[in-house]
Amino acid sequence: MIGASRGLGYAMAEEFVSKNWNVIGTVRDNNKPSLLHDLANRYPDQVRIETLDITSQEQIRTLHERLAGQRLDMLYCNAGTTTQDQMIAIGKVSTEEFNQVMLTNVLGPMRVLEAFDDLVLTNGLIGVMSSGQGSISNNQKGMREVYRASKAALNMLVKSFAVREQNTARSIVLMAPGWIRTGLGGDQAPFTLEETVPDIVNVLLAQIHKPGLKYLDRFGNNVPW
């Protein structure tokens, strides 16, 4: 689980542990206490913590070296950030902020998929946290434009990755979890982690051994591209 220190990533890690899965979860700073550290203390035989800043190509490379020889049933990349002002129009976003969102939401996850591809079982699952806001068809309101663009770009690049993977039995899932009350989702989001994460995990588990790319919501429904 790439990005599991808090929010959706942590809640998903906890849910997998409750289903007797072993979880390797990453945090950006292993010296900083997190919910994932609490989970590891409670389940030391099931939870292993690794350090990774998804924006660092070098850290991705060194984590792959540390995990050499491991075989993963599932690789799930939960990475996401947005602009400080989510309602700012695209023309007013600074270059630095635009680049940071794209690095974190698009290039970082794709580097992870490319780097760790060889560790995932040939009939395993590769999952990426997308968003319904990455759907071009469903964009009826605009705004949150950098975030929308980053998730649409992520969807496109995962599609390209899936085309290259089409001769394997792997399942590849772009997950649109819905608007959830997290640090990223904000306090106005209508759904809690407790309401949504079991559904997300169950959808992922149901997709194991079902080859091909899917863009799904937390109920297992197809999301329009």
Side-chain angles (χ1 to χ4, degrees):
M1 177 70 65
I2 305 297
S5 63
R6 59 189 176 88
L8 266 172
Y10 164 74
M12 289 176 65
E14 185 179 43
E15 183 70 13
F16 276 114
V17 168
S18 76
K19 294 180 180 294
N20 296 317
W21 277 58
N22 294 329
V23 174
I24 302 172
T26 72
V27 298
R28 281 185 293 179
D29 184 355
N30 206 0
N31 294 315
K32 181 179 179 181
S34 71
L35 292 172
L36 188 64
H37 287 87
D38 294 339
L39 188 68
N41 288 334
R42 283 185 281 140
Y43 300 96
D45 295 331
Q46 287 180 253
V47 180
R48 169 178 169 180
I49 298 178
E50 291 285 352
T51 302
L52 178 67
D53 181 343
I54 200 170
T55 67
S56 168
Q57 196 168 12
E58 176 64 17
Q59 287 192 26
I60 291 172
R61 184 187 64 79
T62 56
L63 177 57
H64 181 272
E65 290 176 355
R66 291 198 300 274
L67 296 180
Q70 295 279 336
R71 288 297 175 263
L72 307 176
D73 295 288
M74 182 184 300
L75 170 67
Y76 196 89
C77 186
N78 171 59
T81 189
T82 189
T83 50
Q84 288 187 339
D85 181 356
Q86 294 193 52
M87 303 308 288
I88 191 172
I90 185 65
K92 296 181 179 179
V93 176
S94 71
T95 301
E96 292 75 18
E97 196 167 25
F98 179 88
N99 288 344
Q100 187 60 37
V101 173
M102 291 296 174
L103 176 58
T104 303
N105 291 7
V106 186
L107 185 55
M110 294 312 302
R111 283 173 170 169
V112 165
L113 265 59
E114 298 281 359
F116 294 91
D117 177 64
D118 64 320
L119 302 184
V120 182
L121 295 175
T122 55
N123 61 349
L125 183 143
I126 295 174
V128 184
M129 191 68 81
S130 183
S131 169
Q133 293 184 60
S135 168
I136 294 174
S137 300
N138 282 349
N139 185 0
Q140 303 297 321
K141 297 180 180 179
M143 307 314 291
R144 296 185 172 86
E145 292 169 4
V146 179
Y147 184 78
R148 287 183 187 274
S150 71
K151 292 301 184 179
L154 177 66
N155 291 352
M156 174 60 80
L157 292 175
V158 172
K159 170 67 173 179
S160 294
F161 176 83
V163 169
R164 289 184 269 121
E165 289 273 316
Q166 61 186 343
N167 293 324
T168 75
R170 287 180 182 149
S171 176
I172 302 174
V173 179
L174 284 159
M175 173 58 64
W179 191 11
I180 303 171
R181 241 169 278 156
T182 63
L184 183 63
D187 295 336
Q188 300 304 310
F191 302 109
T192 65
L193 289 167
E194 292 76 15
E195 291 173 306
T196 54
V197 167
D199 290 333
I200 293 169
V201 169
N202 286 336
V203 166
L204 292 173
L205 293 176
Q207 292 303 316
I208 294 176
H209 306 312
K210 295 181 180 179
L213 173 65
K214 299 97 173 175
Y215 182 19
L216 303 175
D217 66 18
R218 69 176 182 273
F219 304 110
N221 300 318
N222 291 310
V223 180
W225 292 86

